[in-house]
Structures are given as C-alpha cells and as structure tokens.
Amino acid sequence: MAVTVEMPKLSDTMEEGVLSAWLVEEGDEVSAGDVVAQVETDKATMDLEVYDDGVLLKKVIGEGDAVPIGQLIAVIGDKGEDISDLLSGAAGDGTAAEEDEEAAEAPSTEQQPSVSGDGAARQPQHARAPAGGNGQRIKASPLARRMASDHGIELTTVDGSGPQGRIIKRDIEARIEAAPEAAPQPAVAEQPAFEAPAGDAYTSEDISQMRKTIARRLAQSKYTAPHFYLTVDVDMAQAIRARKQLNELAEEQERARISFNDLITKACAVALKQHPQVNSSYLADEGEIRYYNQVHVGIAVAIDAGLITPVIRNADRKGLAQIAEETRALAERARNRDLQPEEFEGSTFTTTNLGMFGIEEFTGIINPPNACILAIGAIRDEAVVEDGEVVPGKRMKLTLSCDHRIVDGATGAEFLNDVQAYLEEPMNLLL
Amino acid sequence: MPELQFREAIRAAMVEEMERDEDIFLMGEEVAEYNGAYKVSQGMLDQFGSERVIDTPISELGFAGLGIGAAMNGLRPIIEFMTWNFSFVAFDQVVNNAPNIRYMSGGQFKIPIVFRGPNGAAGQLAATHNNSVESLYSNFPGLKVVCPSNPDDAKGLLKTSIRDDDPVLFLESELMYGMKGEVSDADDYTLPIGTARIAREGDDVTIVAHSKSYWRAMEAAEELAKEGYDAEVIDPRTIKPLDIETIVQSVQKTNRCVVVDESNPFASFASEIAFQIQDQAFDWLDAPLVRVTAPDTPAPYAGNLMDEYMPSAKEVIQAAKRVMYVD
C-alpha cells in the first residue's frame, strides 16, 4: 500500500518549503527514519525524514521547487505498485513534476467563435475577477485554468469577461496574444548620447524563503504594532572593567570569553523579570495580552541569506558563562543554517546589535509577537564631565522600540533605566 | 438510393428480417388487419400470414409478457406499442422481466425481443399521450434504447436491433413517420448500436440531440452559421449504450456543449450527458453545459402552450450563445 510524503510544517512561521536536495533516488529502498531530502524553510535547511518503509516510487517535485505545507512531494510503496491515483490527486495544482500527457494534445482549434456583422456588439463587459489575495476565489472555467497553467499565466492577473467575472478561454487567449507586445522594443536612438555599459541593466534572483519571511513578519510588525523609541546613553566604564576581570577568569578556566552582548543579554533578562509588561505579547486575534512567566531572549544574528534570531531560554536564570557559551554555539549553527525550530522560536524579547559596525545608534523593528526590541550601538570614546572636569569616558547608546499597544512611555523608560543601571553597575547582576 | 418515408424504412427492416428468419414475428394492437395504426406494417399480414403478424387485444401487459415468453422459447418477437405511452401498463414486463431474466437464469434464457413504437410528443394529445420514455427506460440495466432521427438510421438500426439477442427498445416518432429520406438499399444494410453520428462539423459549440430534437438542433445550427458560429451537431442515435467518446472528442474541440432532449429534465438523458462530460472532459470545458428540454411539468393540451413546452430551435440558439458567452 503506497503512502504519500507531504511537505511537513517545520517551523511555526513556515508556510511553504523549498526542496533543496533529494538524497535518495527513485527506486531506492527507504526505512522509517531515513532522511530522504533536505528542505529549506523560512528559517533553516532541515532534514526530511520518512515514517514508512518501502521503495521511493516517485519524486513528485524537483529540486528547487517550492510547495506549500501539506502538498504531496513523494510516494513510497511497494516496487511496481500502481500509484497513478495518488499522483492524479496532485496533478491539478500545476506543481507536479510531470505534465499531464493529455494536456499536450490540446484542442487543435483554439480560435474563438468567429463573428460576422457588428463585432462591437460582442465586446464583453469587463468585470475584474476577484483577486486571490483577499480570500475570494477566482472564478475561471476549467479550460481557462488549464490554459493559464500551460502558459504560466497567473489567473489573478487576468480580467474575466464571463458571468460574474469568470475567466474564460477568450480572456486567456487575449492574454497570450498580448504577451509579446507587453515588452515594447526600445526605440533605437540614432546617435546615442553616451555609450551604455555593456551587459544587462540588472540581475535578478528568486526571493528566498527566509527573505519572504523577514519581509512578511517585519511588515506585519510595522503595520500592526505602533512603534515608539526610547534612547539612553549608558556609561560602560564599569562594564568594561567587569568584563576584563571575567575574561581573565575565563581564560584560566578555558571557558568561552564573555562579550558585551552577553552582558547586555543578562542585564535585559534580569530587568525583564522585573518588568512583566515588557516581557509580554499583544495578541489581537486571541483578544488577550499574554505575560510570560519565563524570559527568553532572542538575539538577532546576521547570516548570508538574511537574519535569524536564536533564543537564549530562561536567560534570567543563566549565568554569564552559560549565556556566552550558548550564544556562541547558536550563532555558529545559525550561520551554518543548522538551527532547529525550537532554537529560534519562542522568544519573549529580542536584542539587535550593530555596534561591531560602528553604528552609534539605530532603531529596531519589533520581532512579533514580542513587545519590545533593544537596538545596541557601538561603545564609543567620549569626553564626559565628571566632578566638573572633562575626562575620557566610554559610552554606548541603547534604543528600545516599544509596541505602544502594551508598553507605554513610562513603562518602557523604567525598564530601560534598569537595564542601564545593571550595565553601569554590573555587580548588581550577581545579586 | 431510394427515398423512403420513415415508416417505410421501418417496414423494410422488419420485412427483410422476417424474410431472412422465420422465428421473427410482429405482434401488437392493429398491426395486422388494420395495417398498423400508423401504417407501418402495411401489407405485412398479406405477406407473412396471421401466424407471424398478430393482432392483440388492448392488453399491453399481456402481449408484452407473451412476447418475452416467446423469446425465452427461442422465437424473436417484435412487439409494437401503439405508442410508448401505453408501455406503462406493461411496465413490469418491460423493465423487470425483459432485462433481468437472462441475468437471473445464469444465461440459460436469452431474450431477443424488440419493443417498438412511436415515442414523445405528437401535437395536441394532452399530458398522458406525450411521454418521452428514453430517460426512463435507459435507467434500467439490461435494456438497450435506440432512438433514430431519420429513415436510413431507422432501417439500419432496426435490423441490428432485431438480430440482437437482448431486449432492445426502439423509439420512433409519430410526427416523423411521414418524413422522407434516402435509405440505403445495400444488401443486408445494418448499423451498429452504440455509435453516434456527427451530422454537422463545427468548431464553436457541440450540440447533442436525438430524434425530433435533432432536427431542432440542425435548424439552430443553420441559423447560427448565418451569424458566423459553427456548431457541431451530434446525433447519438442510441441512448444506451451511449457513444460518449464521440461527444467528448467534440467537446474537447469546441469546449462547450448544449444538449437538446424533449424528455422532462429531472434525472434525464440530458443530465446524464452533462454528468459524463464533466467527468471526462472537465478540463476542456469553458462554460457549464446547458440543456434544452421540456419543462418539469405535465404536457399541456392547448396548441400555443404546447409550442412553448417543446424545445425549439430558438431556445437551442439561445443556449448555444450562452455557452459561447455571446449576447
């Protein structure tokens, strides 16, 4: 009995996955637990395991194909088994690897009914077919759907001239006919004013899963969470001293060195415990504000393909050494795109640091469903006034972006003041 | 080829077959002495005698059953119903015994019988004499239902029906008995049951129609041609077994289909075509199928209402334009 393998949901935010590589061939024996392919999700490249024993009868999608969660990607069964039923179920959605054979023998006569007499009388009423985006279904005749699929035409871009805006054969034919004219030939100037550089005007690439997710989530955040920003300038002199001492110990004990970022993670975690409103989520759909009893700090890590935020769980209860070690390991895995979903999901607060690039200050976009994000600037040498004298000082700007639906100005300021206080007197972190 | 009336073509088929095979006989009301209520069997009593051309009392249940018994005993009866409206009093014989005995006897008895007679509306005859039975009888497994639209098909198909070893219901039309047409005089001219005829080729819309409705479809096709639309008209000729393949191929070319059928619409032959096309040609359809049928009411008596009741060429044109998305 053949069984299907579908695109699994590999992360909370995943909506589709790209099959980046097949690791077995059609006809190979597979056993439950075998990794048969790698799937690129919005966050990471993950292994696709199968849950059944048998022969991989069919790869329904090819390497590089993107398919939504739940869609058929392979069939496992007994050698020689007839799986046409299972495959025909997948054929209709246009992503199946093989074209329906019958589709090739399209009707030979594709022209519209010809008309004599007053052609104007036949001009169809153009009603815009409801676009797919707003949840309304697109009305199209079965033939129009098939023709659109054969010609790679998005139905959402076609005006339907049939009843209730139904897209019909002639609408697709009109589109096919219009297509070559859509890209007008550039007019040739007789005497070019300058020599244009050789080569194409631009290069393009497909938008990666990760890019799509970043775009979707950050746009969602900016559109729905009213942001406001609070900035403090933190005196880092004590923190620098404390770190120096801690790292001397770390060297002796052969432990991971502690970074300023680790100190800030710890300071935030302890302060979050004291400010539950900052460690919360505004969940409009559920009609509730959720205060988290645990503190999970996400740390934005830049990687080649984009950005990911591994999470230090229960950071308020972890020592600096452990935070340093975990952060280093997670960042390394993130760069290798090896993170497992549980390692980058479930943050209750996030920090983002551009200090290493010399950025003095900036504002972060809140990582939903967090209430706040802390943007960390560079530590700078600054002339400061101490006891009436100008002396050299070390300063660092922190900017807190707050979701005003949950966090008001005073609430955010009190939290940020506490973070500042912990960093200016790091011994308090030990208490 | 000689030109024959529809009734003459049917008679020619019966006469040729009865000359060929002594086991064949004709039985029904007024078929012998009166030469047939519609003169279909004119002269047959004189030619074959009263043992093979037999008048019956007005007792459809009785003589239909008698025919089935004769068939079980090796004869090949042709049972004429004066009209198919009267077959309803013989319903049990037609739908229960005729199609089931071969199956229930494990093949010990064949039932090589033809029930024939005029079907459907024939002017102002009122509700009880206006029934079209093709949808009804084709619902029963084991019955073949043949419904020709012209004399040539009638002759070729009736000869094949008489030679068939299973029951065949052969549906004629009172209004078409006088219709003339060229009929093949080839020796032993037969046409296979279950083969549709593409009567007119076209690329713009498929119109499926049988019997009288076929002529409405052809009139509509001529009118549509004047407006520049090229209709393909298919006469299924046999309701069951149905040559759906020919229809599907046509719909794959035209992407749209109208079915014309003077039966009432609910659970009808037209519905069946619609089902089979969406089943087999879904991805070729550019519009939902449209049926042109009698309405779901008893047939009226008044002449003006009867004109409204019957499928017309005008309705077929409207339906064709609807599936072509014009007007």
Side-chain angles (χ1 to χ4, degrees):
Chain A
M1 180 64 193
V3 293
T4 56
V5 180
E6 282 116 20
M7 177 59 70
K9 185 171 169 71
L10 295 169
S11 79
D12 276 354
T13 52
M14 174 175 173
E15 287 172 359
E16 61 174 24
V18 174
L19 196 132
S20 46
W22 281 107
L23 304 179
V24 295
E25 294 302 322
E26 285 180 5
D28 286 358
E29 295 266 354
V30 296
S31 309
D34 282 1
V35 174
V36 298
Q38 286 183 327
V39 172
E40 184 194 345
T41 72
D42 50 347
K43 295 279 174 55
T45 301
M46 303 188 59
D47 292 338
L48 176 72
E49 286 181 21
V50 293
Y51 305 112
D52 299 277
D53 300 334
V55 172
L56 186 90
L57 296 173
K58 182 81 192 162
K59 300 172 181 174
V60 179
I61 63 172
E63 291 187 355
D65 287 350
V67 298
I69 291 167
Q71 182 167 317
L72 181 65
I73 56 182
V75 178
I76 294 171
D78 298 330
K79 209 170 181 64
E81 194 172 341
D82 178 16
I83 54 168
S84 51
D85 278 4
L86 291 171
L87 295 178
S88 64
D93 51 35
T95 50
E98 280 189 347
E99 283 286 339
D100 189 354
E101 270 187 14
E102 285 174 319
E105 40 182 78
S108 56
T109 316
E110 292 280 286
Q111 82 267 25
Q112 269 182 215
S114 55
V115 64
S116 65
D118 184 11
R122 286 188 62 225
Q123 285 305 311
Q125 297 279 318
H126 268 268
R128 178 87 199 180
N134 56 9
Q136 275 185 293
R137 79 177 238 101
I138 296 168
K139 296 189 182 76
S141 76
L143 176 69
R145 282 183 191 277
R146 189 168 61 86
M147 289 172 72
S149 158
D150 288 351
H151 288 89
I153 294 168
E154 279 282 340
L155 284 174
T156 48
T157 65
V158 180
D159 284 337
S161 68
Q164 286 106 48
R166 182 190 301 150
I167 299 167
I168 57 178
K169 180 180 168 185
R170 66 168 171 239
D171 302 324
I172 304 292
E173 284 173 339
R175 165 58 60 86
I176 293 165
E177 232 167 76
E181 285 141 48
Q185 295 297 313
V188 180
E190 273 179 44
Q191 296 227 307
F194 69 95
E195 200 72 33
D200 294 333
Y202 57 82
T203 60
S204 51
E205 60 179 29
D206 291 339
I207 300 171
S208 69
Q209 288 303 305
M210 177 171 282
R211 235 341 106 196
K212 280 186 198 170
T213 304
I214 292 170
R216 184 171 49 77
R217 287 173 55 79
L218 295 186
Q220 175 206 344
S221 173
K222 269 275 183 173
Y223 292 150
T224 57
H227 285 51
F228 71 90
Y229 310 96
L230 303 169
T231 303
V232 290
D233 205 17
V234 181
D235 179 354
M236 289 296 280
Q238 294 284 5
I240 290 166
R241 268 191 288 274
R243 174 171 175 262
K244 191 159 175 272
Q245 288 173 355
L246 288 168
N247 279 340
E248 280 167 10
L249 284 173
E251 238 162 79
E252 279 173 29
Q253 294 165 8
E254 292 177 2
R255 281 188 287 101
R257 286 166 59 85
I258 289 154
S259 69
F260 288 110
N261 206 80
D262 298 330
L263 277 171
I264 297 164
T265 302
K266 177 70 179 172
C268 288
V270 174
L272 282 166
K273 200 68 196 162
Q274 293 155 3
H275 296 272
Q277 269 173 300
V278 179
N279 197 48
S280 69
S281 290
Y282 183 90
L283 301 174
D285 288 345
E286 281 90 343
E288 66 176 35
I289 293 172
R290 191 171 292 172
Y291 300 99
Y292 297 102
N293 295 325
Q294 293 172 317
V295 174
H296 303 319
V297 178
I299 296 165
V301 175
I303 62 176
D304 285 345
L307 189 67
I308 195 160
T309 52
V311 177
I312 308 293
R313 269 162 220 282
N314 296 305
D316 59 320
R317 290 192 260 140
K318 284 178 179 162
L320 278 165
Q322 197 179 348
I323 289 172
E325 215 152 289
E326 279 186 24
T327 304
R328 185 167 301 194
L330 287 171
E332 178 70 25
R333 303 251 301 280
R335 278 187 279 272
N336 295 337
R337 305 209 61 181
D338 262 350
L339 284 182
Q340 296 304 301
E342 61 271 18
E343 293 173 320
F344 56 75
E345 284 172 356
S347 70
T348 60
F349 180 86
T350 301
T351 66
T352 172
N353 189 342
L354 293 177
M356 62 290 251
F357 297 106
I359 301 297
E360 197 170 318
E361 64 175 312
F362 67 106
T363 59
I365 298 175
I366 296 166
N367 180 24
N370 294 172
C372 295
I373 188 168
L374 187 72
I376 303 163
I379 299 172
R380 337 178 291 281
D381 289 313
E382 195 97 326
V384 296
V385 179
E386 246 172 46
D387 300 329
E389 284 188 45
V390 176
V391 294
K394 294 279 188 185
R395 290 288 189 270
M396 176 184 73
K397 282 192 170 150
L398 296 180
T399 300
L400 186 70
S401 308
C402 306
D403 179 352
H404 213 325
R405 294 175 303 177
I406 341 173
V407 177
D408 296 329
T411 315
E414 282 167 15
F415 167 75
L416 194 54
N417 283 341
D418 278 359
V419 173
Q420 179 177 17
Y422 281 125
L423 291 171
E424 291 184 348
E425 197 46 80
M427 294 305 275
N428 283 332
L429 288 175
L430 303 176
L431 297 176
Chain B
M1 288 198 293
E3 196 166 72
L4 297 184
Q5 288 184 349
F6 205 107
R7 61 164 64 82
E8 292 168 340
I10 294 168
R11 185 191 310 141
M14 291 194 292
V15 168
E16 284 178 27
E17 290 306 294
M18 286 173 73
E19 285 171 344
R20 188 185 57 79
D21 183 347
E22 287 193 348
D23 288 339
I24 301 167
F25 68 94
L26 172 66
M27 181 165 62
E29 293 157 2
E30 312 278 27
V31 298
E33 298 286 350
Y34 188 66
N35 282 312
Y38 304 103
K39 305 302 171 220
V40 171
S41 54
Q42 190 150 35
M44 289 179 66
L45 175 64
D46 291 345
Q47 185 180 350
F48 296 104
S50 60
E51 285 201 351
R52 295 184 67 196
V53 180
I54 305 163
D55 276 328
T56 67
I58 302 176
S59 59
E60 281 80 5
L61 179 64
F63 66 77
L66 208 148
I68 290 167
M72 289 173 72
N73 282 288
L75 299 180
R76 306 185 79 89
I78 302 168
I79 302 297
E80 178 178 309
F81 291 122
M82 189 179 285
T83 81
W84 277 96
N85 299 290
F86 310 143
S87 72
F88 297 158
V89 289
F91 198 63
D92 185 52
Q93 293 297 346
V94 177
V95 305
N96 238 343
N97 288 341
N100 290 335
I101 285 174
R102 180 173 173 189
Y103 174 72
M104 292 180 74
S105 69
Q108 293 179 81
F109 295 105
K110 296 182 294 187
I111 312 291
I113 193 168
V114 172
F115 293 103
R116 48 156 288 273
N119 173 55
Q124 286 178 266
L125 295 176
T128 55
H129 286 188
N130 259 311
N131 294 292
S132 292
V133 300
E134 54 269 58
S135 301
L136 172 70
Y137 285 129
S138 59
N139 190 243
F140 292 92
L143 292 179
K144 291 173 183 165
V145 181
V146 179
C147 207
S149 66
N150 63 67
D152 188 63
D153 285 352
K155 183 183 177 189
L157 284 166
L158 182 53
K159 284 168 70 80
T160 309
S161 300
I162 293 168
R163 294 180 193 188
D164 201 294
D165 277 346
D166 290 308
V168 177
L169 314 192
F170 195 86
L171 312 184
E172 301 151 16
S173 165
E174 215 173 308
L175 292 179
M176 295 200 307
Y177 278 139
M179 168 189 286
K180 284 189 173 177
E182 288 194 341
V183 176
S184 171
D185 54 358
D187 271 353
D188 219 18
Y189 176 61
T190 58
L191 289 171
I193 289 175
T195 309
R197 182 172 65 97
I198 299 171
R200 186 186 192 286
E201 291 195 20
D203 292 329
D204 297 335
V205 57
T206 300
I207 305 177
V208 180
H210 63 277
S211 191
K212 285 204 292 297
S213 301
Y214 162 80
W215 296 101
R216 301 296 87 75
M218 289 301 277
E219 286 167 41
E222 295 309 316
E223 286 302 313
L224 286 165
K226 288 179 196 163
E227 295 184 51
Y229 305 109
D230 216 357
E232 178 142 310
V233 179
I234 296 179
D235 178 359
R237 302 197 288 192
T238 309
I239 303 299
K240 197 180 184 184
L242 175 65
D243 179 8
I244 190 65
E245 215 166 284
T246 298
I247 298 169
V248 164
Q249 279 168 8
S250 174
V251 171
Q252 287 177 344
K253 178 172 66 169
T254 64
N255 311 125
R256 47 203 98 235
C257 185
V258 171
V259 187
V260 193
D261 173 12
E262 69 168 272
S263 308
N264 299 109
F266 193 90
S268 65
F269 173 64
S271 318
E272 179 63 24
I273 300 253
F275 164 75
Q276 295 208 25
I277 288 178
Q278 66 81 31
D279 186 43
Q280 297 186 34
F282 183 76
D283 286 316
W284 281 266
L285 282 177
D286 200 32
L289 261 87
V290 173
R291 301 182 298 180
V292 179
T293 67
D296 195 10
T297 67
Y301 173 74
N304 58 340
L305 294 181
M306 196 57 194
D307 289 344
E308 280 296 306
Y309 184 85
M310 294 297 288
S312 66
K314 193 176 142 211
E315 286 175 283
V316 178
I317 292 166
Q318 284 169 348
K321 288 185 172 175
R322 200 167 130 203
V323 296
M324 290 190 293
Y325 299 108
V326 293
D327 287 4

